[in-house]
Amino acid sequence: MNGTRDEQAVQTTQKTQTTRATQAEHGPGAPEGPDTPVTPDGSGALSGVRGLGGMWGAVRPYWVRLAAAGLAGVAAELCGLGLIAAAAWLIARAAQQPPVAALGLAIVAVRACAVGKGGLRYVERLAGHDVALRALAELRGRVFDALARTPASRRATAAGPGALRDGDALTRLVADVDAVQDLLLRCLLPAVAAAVCGAAGLAVCAAAVPAAAPVLAAALAVVVLVLAPAAAVAGGRAAARAAERRRDLAVAALDVLEGADDLAVFGAAGRFAGAARERSRLLARAERAAARVTALSAGAGYAVQGAAAAAVAWTAIAAGAGGVAVAVAALTALVTVEAALPLVAAAQRLREALPAARRVTAVLDSPGPRRPRVPARLPAGPLAVQLLGVTVAYPAPGGGEVRALDGLDLLVERGRRVAIVGASGAGKSTVLAAACGEAEPASGTVLLGGHDTRACDPDAVRAAVRGLAQDAHVFAGTVRANLLLARPGATDAQLEAAARRARLLEVVAGLPQGWDTPVGAGGHGLSGGQRQRLLLARALLADPPVLVLDEPAEALDTRTADDLTRELLTAPGGGTLLLVTHRLAALDAADEVVVLDRGRLAQRGTHAELLARPGPYRDLWDAELLAA
């Protein structure tokens, strides 16, 4: 019995998560039945070079700043090399007590290099982080835009297999995009500086003690050809394990947090919380393993650095070089190898960042909505919505597909107020998703105002068909700011009119600062009913040609919910209305009621007509009366 309850909790939680991840703010985009993965992995389909190429699009506008950062970093490393070489020569030469004039140039060089290194390092950090943060902002916007503009029905197969749940997608959207910063600051810039400084160090060492240059070259080869690849292999494996554990923890944590109510109802909260704690423990262990690899790589690098300095000094002495030359060569070797050591960390980070770059590129390269060369112009005013043989299928968790709509034919005439009802999983929300372009039909045609939506600009379709998704989001901000998202230029009178229709005015009147009262992300600080009224008011304020409302009276008491639903169906003006609801008591006010069953049209007619004959609608009505 407990196993059955846990399985039900899993299914309910996964459905909740999928809906929240895939429904867009201006129109639902997820089915009511199967899980709809959010974004593909694509890590095995693209090469590392292509992954970096996808990142370059966000960096390219700032290549001048990037070049400046690279030049500043190279100059800072050269100043550090010059500082050590000049200081070694100065100290060793001063021990011989030459005339002060003979030391003047070295003294100036030491001062110049010391000042220059600090200043140039600051410029490198400033310019490098400026480029990285600008690129992050640019890339994150592109990734978000790519996800938002990809129809939900294509997100699972946009770049091949490996579809993700929403917790995993959230992790990758944040962590993978952050890889741009590491690729620039921890990989590219250190590699350029190490290459130039290594060549310069070899030149200085060869000038001081020619016999010692091969020894320094061998030490650099050990760093570049042995330590860096070893760190990349070991670090990459450890990072892959940590990334997998991090993904598992994100999924488990989101299930616990967002599905807390469902888990509590089915008695599975403790089991899921325990699973999340176990995944947290596994993540901590994986991160400790990755940290050990980093520590061992750093220790090996310092050992090579010390050995290189000692070997160069010994070689210089064996070659009969003077004390000044020995000091310059040994300390130059120390600094040159030190400049090359960041390559070890860069190789390790590159191995970790390339899969992230590939996954981001897979999202950016995923096919977006089709844009016709000459889009059809939608007529003004309310629009008719027609579905002709529309089939919408989503990947099933165990393989294959599940049809949310199965050859549905449905016509909603312009200006009509139509309610869509049916059992859970019947395809109600998918009808709204197909109408607003969030669910791309596998077959069939969706007509909006008599025009095939595929012949229209996708942005125009989204602007024409908008409304309230079942789990629309309340953003952190004021009540006024959340409403103005629907119509930024709305007047106070328009805000009040929308709030009045949504029963929000009395809520605003009771808030400490009225319209300017801040609310937290997700509606923190508001009750469930207050949050729902705020979201409904935002949908009504948009006033699109086709208004779609998915359970607009959810979280309200039955009397208020029925009154609100009846008012929505009878209010004069406005556009065409498609309203999904599970409450039937107020549907006598609808122009027509459409009953769906397993993605197909089961019945349609007025409330009275449907109650007059046996069928699914009367069964739903009888069930509602029994539950009352």
Side-chain angles (χ1 to χ4, degrees):
M1 181 67 179
N2 289 337
T4 302
R5 290 163 63 89
D6 285 352
E7 290 175 2
Q8 292 173 334
V10 171
Q11 295 171 359
T12 304
T13 301
Q14 290 181 346
K15 175 182 173 182
T16 302
Q17 297 304 318
T18 300
T19 302
R20 290 176 177 171
T22 56
Q23 285 183 331
E25 176 64 27
H26 300 307
E32 295 175 284
D35 272 356
T36 302
V38 178
T39 179
D41 184 310
S43 59
L46 300 172
S47 67
V49 174
R50 187 179 176 191
L52 290 176
M55 298 294 189
W56 174 244
V59 180
R60 186 170 50 233
Y62 315 111
W63 71 269
V64 175
R65 289 185 175 92
L66 181 61
L71 290 175
V74 169
E77 291 294 345
L78 292 178
C79 283
L81 178 62
L83 172 62
I84 293 299
W89 186 93
L90 178 61
I91 295 172
R93 185 74 177 91
Q96 299 174 352
Q97 298 182 348
V100 176
L103 305 177
L105 183 60
I107 294 173
V108 172
V110 169
R111 291 177 177 175
C113 288
V115 174
K117 181 179 180 180
L120 290 168
R121 185 66 71 194
Y122 176 79
V123 171
E124 182 219 0
R125 293 288 190 267
L126 185 64
H129 282 80
D130 179 67
V131 172
L133 294 176
R134 288 175 185 269
L136 278 177
E138 176 74 18
L139 185 62
R140 207 180 300 280
R142 292 187 182 190
V143 171
F144 182 85
D145 188 63
L147 290 173
R149 292 178 181 273
T150 301
S153 58
R154 281 163 52 190
R155 287 174 189 155
T157 57
L164 307 178
R165 290 181 58 191
D166 49 342
D168 194 1
L170 178 63
T171 300
R172 297 192 180 195
L173 177 63
V174 176
D176 290 352
V177 172
D178 284 345
V180 173
Q181 178 171 311
D182 288 340
L183 286 172
L184 294 177
L185 300 181
R186 299 185 185 181
C187 298
L188 178 60
L189 296 182
V192 173
V196 176
C197 189
L202 282 173
V204 172
C205 189
V209 182
V215 177
L216 177 57
L220 293 175
V222 170
V223 172
V224 176
L225 301 179
V226 178
L227 293 185
V233 172
R237 291 174 180 172
R241 287 193 294 269
E244 182 180 358
R245 303 303 185 197
R246 193 174 295 112
R247 178 198 63 195
D248 293 342
L249 176 60
V251 172
L254 201 59
D255 281 346
V256 172
L257 292 174
E258 298 292 342
D261 295 339
D262 298 326
L263 295 174
V265 168
F266 288 100
R271 173 174 171 264
F272 274 67
R277 284 192 294 269
E278 175 63 18
R279 292 179 181 181
S280 177
R281 186 186 65 80
L282 293 175
L283 172 60
R285 188 168 67 182
E287 289 180 338
R288 285 194 297 269
R292 282 195 295 269
V293 172
T294 301
L296 289 174
S297 299
Y302 294 139
V304 171
Q305 181 186 13
V312 166
W314 183 84
T315 302
I317 293 172
V324 174
V326 171
V328 171
L331 292 179
T332 297
L334 193 71
V335 174
T336 303
V337 176
E338 182 182 14
L341 289 182
L343 290 177
V344 178
Q348 182 178 346
R349 186 54 190 153
L350 183 64
R351 174 71 184 274
E352 300 170 5
L354 278 180
R358 290 196 297 265
R359 290 189 292 266
V360 171
T361 302
V363 174
L364 296 176
D365 290 347
S366 62
R370 301 180 180 92
R371 296 183 180 275
R373 292 185 177 180
V374 182
R377 294 179 61 88
L378 295 174
L383 300 174
V385 179
Q386 187 172 12
L387 279 67
L388 298 175
V390 171
T391 296
V392 176
Y394 294 92
E401 63 180 24
V402 175
R403 292 190 173 186
L405 296 180
D406 190 4
L408 180 65
D409 291 310
L410 177 65
L411 171 62
V412 178
E413 298 177 355
R414 66 188 305 269
R416 299 273 286 178
R417 312 295 173 88
V418 176
I420 303 176
V421 301
S424 178
K428 305 185 295 295
S429 295
T430 309
V431 170
L432 306 188
C436 66
E438 283 297 319
E440 185 177 14
S443 62
T445 304
V446 179
L447 300 179
L448 189 60
H451 296 282
D452 190 336
T453 53
R454 291 171 294 191
C456 303
D457 188 326
D459 292 338
V461 174
R462 280 190 290 268
V465 187
R466 304 171 60 184
L468 172 62
Q470 195 172 34
D471 288 285
H473 188 67
V474 175
F475 294 88
T478 64
V479 173
R480 184 191 305 274
N482 270 278
L483 291 177
L484 290 178
L485 288 172
R487 184 185 293 184
T491 63
D492 289 344
Q494 291 171 326
L495 288 177
E496 291 180 5
R500 185 178 297 107
R501 292 184 62 191
R503 306 291 201 278
L504 182 66
L505 272 184
E506 54 266 34
V507 174
V508 174
L511 294 176
Q513 302 176 44
W515 296 102
D516 297 317
T517 300
V519 295
H524 181 72
L526 300 177
S527 68
Q530 291 172 338
R531 175 185 178 277
Q532 189 69 8
R533 297 181 196 196
L534 174 61
L535 293 170
L536 177 59
R538 187 166 71 193
L540 296 174
L541 182 62
D543 193 23
V546 179
L547 178 63
V548 292
L549 300 176
D550 199 344
E551 301 286 3
E554 186 182 25
L556 303 179
D557 63 88
T558 56
R559 180 175 179 179
T560 303
D562 291 342
D563 291 344
L564 178 59
T565 301
R566 184 172 284 106
E567 182 175 332
L568 290 172
L569 292 169
T570 58
T576 305
L577 174 63
L578 297 178
L579 186 148
V580 168
T581 180
H582 68 278
R583 287 280 302 172
L584 311 182
L587 298 190
D588 56 345
D591 294 332
E592 189 176 26
V593 179
V594 172
V595 185
L596 297 182
D597 182 28
R598 299 181 181 180
R600 299 180 180 180
L601 181 62
Q603 287 181 298
R604 66 183 305 173
T606 64
H607 175 73
E609 292 172 347
L610 295 177
L611 288 182
R613 57 179 184 266
Y617 188 79
R618 198 161 77 179
D619 294 341
L620 293 172
W621 176 260
D622 291 340
E624 183 173 307
L625 292 180
L626 288 175

